Amino acid sequence: MTNTWQDIKNANLVIVMGGNAAEAHPCGFKWVVEAKIENGAKLVVVDPRFTRTASVADYYAPIRPGTDIAFLLGVIRYLLEKDKIQHEYVRAYSNAGLIVKDGFGFEDGLFSGYDHEKGDYDKSSWDYELDEQGFAKVDDTWQHPRCVMSLLRAHVARYTPEMVSRICGTPQDKYLNICEMIADTSAPDKAMTSLFALGWTQHSVGSQNIRAMAMVQLLLGNIGVAGGGMNALRGHSNIQGLTDVGLLSNLMPGYMTLPADHEVTFDDYMKTRQFKPLRPGQTSYWQNYRKFFVSFQKSMFGDAAKAENNWAYDWLPKLDIPLYDIIKAFEMMNQGEMNGYICQGFNPQQAFPDRGKIRRGLSKLKFLVTMDPLDTETSRFWENFGPQNPADSATIQTEVLQLPTTCFAEEDGSLVNSARWLQWHWKAAEPPGQAKSDIWIMSQLFHRIRELYRKEGGAFPDPILNLTWNYTDPTEPASAELAKDMNGRARVDIKDASGAVVLKAGQLLDTFAQLRDDGTTDSGCWIFTGCYTEKGNQMARRDASDPREQGIAPNWAWAWPANRRILYNRASADLAGNPWNPQKPVIQWDSTKWVGIDVPDYGPTVKPSESVGPFIMNAEGTARLFARDQMVEGPFPEHYEPLESPVSNILHPKVSANPAARVFADDRKAFGSPSEFPYVATTYRLTEHFHFWTKHALINAILQPEEFIEIGEVLAQEKGIAQGSWVRVASKRGHVVCKAYVTKRIKPLSVDGKSTHVIGVPLHWGFTGQARKGYGANTLTPSVGDANSQTPEFKAFLVNVESVNGPEV
Amino acid sequence: MTEPPMADLQSQNYIRRSASTLTPPSVRNHEDEVAKLIDVTRCIGCKACQAACMEWNDLRAPVGTFEGTYDNPLDLDPHTWTLMRFTEYENEQGNLEWLIRKDGCMHCEDPGCLKACPAPGAIVQYANGIVDFISENCIGCGYCVKGCPFDIPRISPVDHKAYKCTLCSDRVAVGLEPACVKACPTGAILFGSKKDMTDWAGERIVDLKSRGFENAGLYDPPGVDGTHVMYVLHHADKPSIYAGLPENPKISATVEFWKGLIKPVALAGIAASAVVGFLHWVITGPNEVQPEDEKEAERVLAAEREKRGSENPYIGGGPA
Amino acid sequence: MTRPKGTLIRNPTLIRINHWITAACFVLLMLSGLSMFDPLLFWLSNLFGGGQWTRAVHPWIGIVLVVSYAGMVVQFWRDNLWTKDDSAWIRAIDRVLANKEEEAVPEVARFNAGQKFVFWSMALLIPILLFTGLLAWEVYFGTASSIETQRAALLIHSLAAIAAIIIWIIHVYAAIWVRGSMRAMTQGYVTPGWAWRHHRKWFRSLAATGSSGPRPHVDSSETRK
Ligand SMILES: Nc1nc2c(c(=O)[nH]1)N[C@H]1C(S)=C(S)[C@@H](COP(=O)(O)OP(=O)(O)OC[C@H]3O[C@@H](n4cnc5c(=O)[nH]c(N)nc54)[C@H](O)[C@@H]3O)O[C@H]1N2
Ligand SMILES: Nc1nc2c(c(=O)[nH]1)N[C@H]1C(S)=C(S)[C@@H](COP(=O)(O)OP(=O)(O)OC[C@H]3O[C@@H](n4cnc5c(=O)[nH]c(N)nc54)[C@H](O)[C@@H]3O)O[C@H]1N2
Ligand code: HEM
Ligand code: HEM
Ligand code: SF4
Ligand code: SF4
Ligand code: SF4
Ligand code: SF4
Ligand code: SF4
Ligand SMILES: [Mo]
C-alpha cells in the first residue's frame, strides 16, 4: 500500500478491481464502509463475479478474467480524451514530458527490440533521450511527438469503448459509467483509492495490470494524497515482511537485488544500482545504495566483511537466471535438477499450479522437510487419499521429515501489514506437543551445518563459517535480538564534522540516514532502521491517537520507511507546497519547513523551490508513465490474452499472449485449447477459509464445509446442472469432482460477439483437516507465471464442465 | 438442584416470565431498553458474527455439506444461534443484489415464544428487553417454536431444551456488547440503547435514500410491539426478499387463542362440570337400586324359569 | 373372582382390565396435559417427576390409551349402536336425572344413551388427540409438519382434551351417582335389580336367553324357545 488502511476512509471513490477486499480483507474493509458512511464515498467493483464486496457496492461491472489492462488503458484513453487529468500534478510529478529515444516503437503487439528466438526484449530503446549533462530531455508542453504523453496518447488510442467491451465483455454503458466516476476524481480535491490484490497479480501480465492502474491514478493526481494511492492488499499476515526482508530468490533485504553472474566485481554490481539523477536537483535515493549494502554485509558477517574484501561481496550467491521462483523450482524437481526441498510454512501441494506436476516433482526428491504446525497435504503428498490424492506410495522414494512448528500466537515477534506497519505481538500460549519455533529449528540447522563445514571444509565454507551469530542463547535467538539486528547499530563511536560523538559504539540507530558505507554501521534491513531504537521497541507502540482524525496515528507501531504512513506524500501538495485538497492535507510547506500529520518524503527543510520530486527512489524524481526498462514486457502496459484463452488477441492475433512470459516446454504442452476446454475459469478465496489451513479448524469447517464451484445459471441450464448437484470440472491438467453452486452472480459475457462463460473455483480444499475431503483448485491451474514476478496465472485458464451423478470413488 | 442456575443471575430484572401467574422479581426497573441493530446494507456476509457466537457460547454444529448456498449450517439448530442467509435478488432495474441477512432471535417486545411457553420461568424477558431461555426450567415441549413468529427456537434432540440467541445476556449483564457485535469487522452490527439504535438507523436510512434506495427503512415490526434486534434494510417495503423475513410478524392468531381465551374458559368448563355433578348429588342424591327393583327382577326371572324349566342354571343362577 | 349367586355379569375380567388401563392412562394424560396447559396447574408436573418427564411421558401414555381404548371399541361397539329408544331416552333425560327412571323413560338396553354418548365421543376425540398429539410431538415429529400446522394441532389437541375431560367428568360422576355401577366395573357383576332398574331391556334379553351376561345367548335363544 502506498497509503494506509485507515486512510481509505478519506476516499471519494473506492475502486475494488483485481481483488475482493470484503472477502479477503474483511477487517480492513471496515475503512471502505467508513468512507461510504462518513465521507459519502462511492464504491465500485469490477470483478468477473458479483462478490461479497459487490454486495455492498454502489456500482458493479463484470469483466472477463485477464483483460483488466484493456479496461484500464481504455480508462486512460477516456481521461485523455475528456481532458480529465490533473494537469499541474501530472506535469510536475510524472515523466509525461520526458522525451523518449528515437528507436522506441510499438507495432503489432511488440515493442521495439524483441528477439523472437529468445522470446525476450533488448530494452535499450526503452529510455529517454539524454542531454549533454546526462539529464533526460523534456517538453513540458507535451507537444513533442516522442514525449511520454504523446506516446501514451498514441498507445491507448486503440482502446475505444467498443474495443474495451469487445475484449473485456463488460457492457459499454457500465464501462462508461465507471469511466465517468473515475474521471470525477481528477479534481484536485477529490481522490480515488485503488484496492487490489490477486485479481491483478495472478496473471501472465500481473505486474502490468497494476502499472496500468498506477498510471490512471497518476493522471488523476491521486498518488500521495489522502484517500488515494495504489493499495495492494497483501496476503498472509506477514507477506509484506517477507518481501521487505528479501525472501524472494532475486532479492536481498530492503529491496536490494542479488548480483547476477556477470556482475563479477563489487564495482560492476554498484554501477547498475546507484542511479544518478536524470533531472537536475533530484535526489535519486538509490545513490545511497552502497550504505545500505555495506551495512547489510556488516550485519551478516561482522568484522569479516571489510573494505579489503569488498565487504565480502564474493560471499553472496550470484544469479545465473533472473530468478529461481517456485515454478522454476518445481520444474527443476521434475527434471531431476533439484533433489532436496525444505518447505517452511508452505503447502505447495495445494497452493501451486498443476498439482499433478507438484506431486510428480515431490516424488522425485531425495528428501523433503516440512516445517509446519499442521499436517499439510505437502507432508502427505506420498499417501493415497483416493481420487483427491492418487499417489502411488510404493513408487515414491522421497524421505519426508515433518517438523512441527509453533505459530504466531506462540511466540513474540513482529508482522508487517499491507500498510508497511511493523506491529509487535506477544506470545499468548505455549506451543503444543513437540512443536518448536522456526527460529529454533533454523538455529539447530545452522549450528549443525556450520559444524560440518568446520570439520569437513567443503567447497565454499566462508559465508557459513563467517556468519555473525551473537545471541544470548545461540540455539534460539530472541525475536527482539533479531529485530535489533534488522534495525542496525553503530559499530564504533561515530563523530560528526566537529568531532563530537553522535553515536556511541553499539548504539541502535534511529534512521537509515545514519547508515554509512565505511563499515562503521550495520543494519540487516535498511528500510527497517528506526523500528527498534534506543528509545525502545517502536513496533510495540500502541497509541491509537489520530491527531486530525484523518487516519494517521503516527505513534501506533512503526511504519517503514522512517515511520512514513503515506508514501510520496510530497505529491499531496502543489509545487508551492500548498495541499491540493485543503480539507485533507497530509503535509504542507509553512515557509520554513514541511509540517503536517505525516513524515515528509524527504528532508523537512527542503524548500519547494528546490523542486525535488516526490518520487525520490526514481532517478527522475517523478513517477513513471513510461517505465523505461523496468518491466519485462514493455514500458507501457499492453493487453495480452492469458496463456489459455477462449479468444485470440483482437488487437494483434499474432502476438496473442505475453511475448515475454517464461513457459517451460512441458507446461506449454499442458495448455488446453478452447475447442476442448471452452470455459474460462478463475480461482479465488472465500471469507470462511484461509487457504488450506483453516480447514483444520472446526469452526471454519462448519462455516464452509465442502468443495464447490460457482457456475452461472445460463451455463448450468445448458449443461443440465442442478443447484447443489455434482459436477466434473476438467482442464488439460486434471479434473475436480465437486458440488455446483448455480448462481446469478456470474453472467455470460459477450466477448468479441461470442457468449463467454466464467466458472469460479474457490481454492480452499484438500485432503487433510476437518472439512470434507476435496481436490483443490490447483488440480486445474496452468504452470505459468507473470513475466516479471512469476506469480502463477491462477486467475484465467480454460476448463470444461459436465454434470456427474456423484463423487468419484 | 445439580445444575448451576444458568443466566438467572439477572432474575431481579425480569419484566416477563413464562407461565407465571405471580409477579416475577422485577425490582430493577431503572434500565434502558437495549437493541442490536443489524445494518444489512453494510454487511459483507463474512460470518465473523456467526463464528464469534459459536466461540463465545461454545457451540459446534456438525460439519455439514455444500448444498448450493453459502448458508452454512443450512439452518438454525441448537448449535447455531445465528446464521447468515444469502439471497440473490434481481431488482426492478434488473441489477443483481446479494442480500445477506443475519438471522437469529429478534428479541420481540411481545415475544410469542414466551407467550406459548408452559414452563414457569423457562423464558424470561429482562427489563432491557432481552428475551432469554433459562434452560433449567425448560421442559422441551417445543411450544416456543410454535409461538415464535420468526421461526427461531430449536429444541435439542439430545437434552430436549430449547435454544436460541441470548443476545449475549451474560455479556450484556456485565457491560459488554454481544460477541457477534464485537466481532463484526464492518460495524454492520451495533449495540446500544434502543433509542440510540433507532436514531442511528435514521441516519443510515437518509444515506441509503441518497444512494437510490428509496424504500430504505428500519425493520422494527409493530406487530410484536417492536423488537430488540432491528434491521436496516435497503428494501424495507419488501422484507420477505431477505430470505423470508416476515412482512408483518405478529403472534399467530392460533397461538393467541390457544394461549389466551381458551385457558380460563376451559378450566371454568371443567370446574363447572364438576360442580354441576356435585350439586346434582346434593340435590338428587344417588340413584340406588330399590328392593322393588330386585323383586321385579326376581319376578321376571321366576317367570322365565317357569317357561324354560327350573334346571336352567344360568338364569339368576350361580357363578359363571 | 367370586360372583355372588344370582348376580349378572356386566363386565367380564378382560373388559375390566382394559377399562382401567384406559382410565388410568386418561387420568395420567389429563394430569400431565393440564400441567402443560395452564401455568396454574404446572405443579401437577411434579407428579411425573418434573416438567421434562411430564412432557416426555405424556405422548407415550397417549399411545397406550389409544391401544386400550381401541380394545374397548372392539368390545363395546355393537352395544353402543344408536336406537330410537336412545333418542326417546334423551328426551326423557330430566326424569332420568331426577332418579325417576320408571316414569315413562324407555327401557334401556346394555348401555343407555348417556353411556353411548361417552363411548362415541371418546371414540371420536381420542383419534383426534392422537393425530394432533403426534403432530405436536416435538421429539419425533417436530419437523414433520409446518409450524402453522403444529399451532393448529396444539390448539385442536387442547380443545379436544378439554372436551374429553368434561365428558370424563360426566362419566365418572355417573359412575358414582348410579350406585352399583362401580362394582360393575370393579368386580364385574350387578344384581338383577340393578339391571332391572337401569338396563331393563338388557336384563330382559339376558333373562329371555338364559344368559348371565354380559350378552344374551343369541343362538340358544331361538332353539330353546
Ligand atoms: N478469507 C481469506 N482472506 C484472505 C486469504 C484467504 O485465504 N482467505 N488469503 C490472503 C492472501 S495470501 C491473499 S494474497 C489475499 C488475496 O486477496 P484477493 O486478491 O482479494 O483474493 P482472491 O479471492 O484470490 O481474488 C480476488 C478476486 O479477483 C477476481 N478476479 C479473478 N480474475 C480477475 C481478473 O482478471 N480481473 C479482475 N478485476 N478480477 C479478477 C476474483 O473473482 C476474485 O473475486 O487474500 C488474503 N486474505
Ligand atoms: N489457484 C490458486 N492458487 C493459489 C492462490 C489463488 O488465488 N489461486 N493464491 C496463492 C497465494 S496468494 C498464496 S499466498 C498461496 C498460499 O499458499 P501457502 O502459503 O502454501 O498456503 P497456506 O495454507 O497459507 O500455507 C501456509 C502454511 O504455513 C503454516 N504456518 C502458519 N504459521 C506458521 C509458522 O509460524 N511457522 C511455520 N513454519 N509454518 C506456519 C500453515 O500451517 C500452513 O500450512 O496460495 C497461492 N495459491
Ligand atoms: C392420544 C394420544 C395423545 C398424544 C400422542 C398426545 C400428545 C401430546 C403432546 C405431544 C402434547 C404436547 C406436550 C408434550 O410434548 O408432551 C400434548 C399436550 C396435551 N395433551 Fe396430549 N396427547 C394425547 C392424548 C391426550 C389426552 C387423551 C388428553 C386429555 C386428557 C391430552 C391432553 C393434553 C393436554 C391438555 C395437553 C396440553 C395442551 C396445551 O398445553 O395447551 N392428551 N399431548
Ligand atoms: C377414572 C375414572 C373412571 C371411572 C371411575 C370409570 C367408571 C366406569 C364404570 C363404573 C363403568 C361401568 C358402567 C356400566 O357398566 O354401566 C364404566 C364404563 C365405561 N367406561 Fe369408564 N370410568 C373411568 C374412566 C373412563 C375413561 C377415561 C374412559 C374412556 C376414555 C371410560 C370409558 C368407559 C366406557 C366406554 C364404558 C362402557 C360404558 C359406556 O359406554 O359408558 N371410562 N366406567
Ligand atoms: S486475518 Fe482475519 S481477523 Fe485478522 S485482520 Fe484479516 S480478516 Fe481480520
Ligand atoms: S424472535 Fe421468536 S424466539 Fe425470539 S423473542 Fe421473538 S418470539 Fe421469542
Ligand atoms: S421448549 Fe420452549 S416452550 Fe417448552 S418449556 Fe422450553 S422454552 Fe418453554
Ligand atoms: S447476541 Fe450473542 S448469542 Fe446472539 S447471535 Fe450474537 S453472539 Fe450469538
Ligand atoms: S460479522 Fe458483520 S459483516 Fe460479517 S457477516 Fe456478520 S454482520 Fe455481516
Ligand atoms: Mo497471498
Side-chain angles (χ1 to χ4, degrees), chain B residues 105-108 111-113 131 133 148-150 152-153 164:
Chain B
C105 176
M106 299 296 286
H107 296 271
C108 311
C113 56
V131 179
F133 285 6
C148 173
F150 295 95
I152 298 302
K164 68 159 187 76

Side-chain angles (χ1 to χ4, degrees), chain A residues 455-720:
Chain A
K455 278 200 211 118
E456 301 173 13
F460 186 36
D462 309 43
I464 300 279
L465 294 181
N466 286 303
L467 197 68
T468 300
W469 202 266
N470 297 324
Y471 303 106
T472 314
D473 175 1
T475 65
E476 190 164 18
S479 299
E481 288 176 308
L482 296 171
K484 288 177 188 168
D485 278 2
M486 296 277 192
N487 183 83
R489 299 177 181 79
R491 298 184 65 85
V492 297
D493 285 355
I494 294 178
K495 301 180 181 121
D496 64 9
S498 69
V501 174
V502 283
L503 285 166
K504 284 212 279 296
Q507 205 174 330
L508 292 164
L509 304 177
D510 293 311
T511 145
F512 51 74
Q514 294 167 333
L515 294 174
R516 300 187 162 220
D517 59 8
D518 58 1
T520 55
T521 58
D522 61 40
S523 165
C525 181
W526 70 276
I527 57 174
F528 286 177
T529 306
C531 72
Y532 207 129
T533 67
E534 292 298 331
K535 291 198 217 81
N537 186 345
Q538 303 301 296
M539 303 172 277
R541 298 182 303 166
R542 288 294 180 273
D543 177 357
S545 49
D546 175 359
R548 245 188 354 234
E549 299 207 340
Q550 201 184 301
I552 291 186
N555 297 317
W556 177 279
W558 188 85
W560 72 259
N563 203 27
R564 185 170 301 128
R565 306 292 161 138
I566 298 184
L567 294 180
Y568 320 120
N569 54 30
R570 167 65 185 88
S572 70
D574 63 16
L575 285 175
N578 300 315
W580 299 112
N581 179 1
Q583 301 307 308
K584 295 183 186 285
V586 182
I587 58 164
Q588 64 195 96
W589 181 253
D590 78 348
S591 80
T592 54
K593 59 182 181 316
W594 291 96
V595 295
I597 48 175
D598 201 5
V599 180
D601 280 326
Y602 44 65
T605 54
V606 179
K607 295 191 195 64
S609 55
E610 289 170 29
S611 26
V612 178
F615 298 88
I616 57 172
M617 304 310 287
N618 287 353
E620 305 89 320
T622 65
R624 294 175 181 139
L625 292 167
F626 178 88
R628 304 176 63 207
D629 61 353
Q630 299 291 299
M631 308 290 286
V632 169
E633 64 280 87
F636 289 132
E638 171 64 7
H639 166 67
Y640 296 111
E641 288 291 335
L643 270 293
E644 275 189 351
S645 170
V647 289
S648 73
N649 200 316
I650 301 170
L651 296 164
H652 27 75
K654 275 195 233 120
V655 187
S656 193
N658 188 340
R662 178 203 65 197
V663 188
F664 297 115
D666 285 349
D667 295 339
R668 189 178 292 281
K669 277 187 224 138
F671 290 156
S673 70
S675 54
E676 211 183 334
F677 301 99
Y679 309 115
V680 178
T682 189
T683 64
Y684 46 86
R685 33 202 43 71
L686 303 166
T687 308
E688 291 90 336
H689 283 292
F690 198 94
H691 298 153
F692 320 102
W693 37 319
T694 54
K695 61 179 161 53
H696 291 264
L698 186 53
I699 288 188
N700 303 69
I702 292 167
L703 293 178
Q704 201 59 268
E706 191 173 16
E707 185 166 38
F708 65 93
I709 57 139
E710 299 188 317
I711 173 171
E713 286 177 342
V714 177
L715 181 58
Q717 179 115 43
E718 262 174 41
K719 292 270 168 177

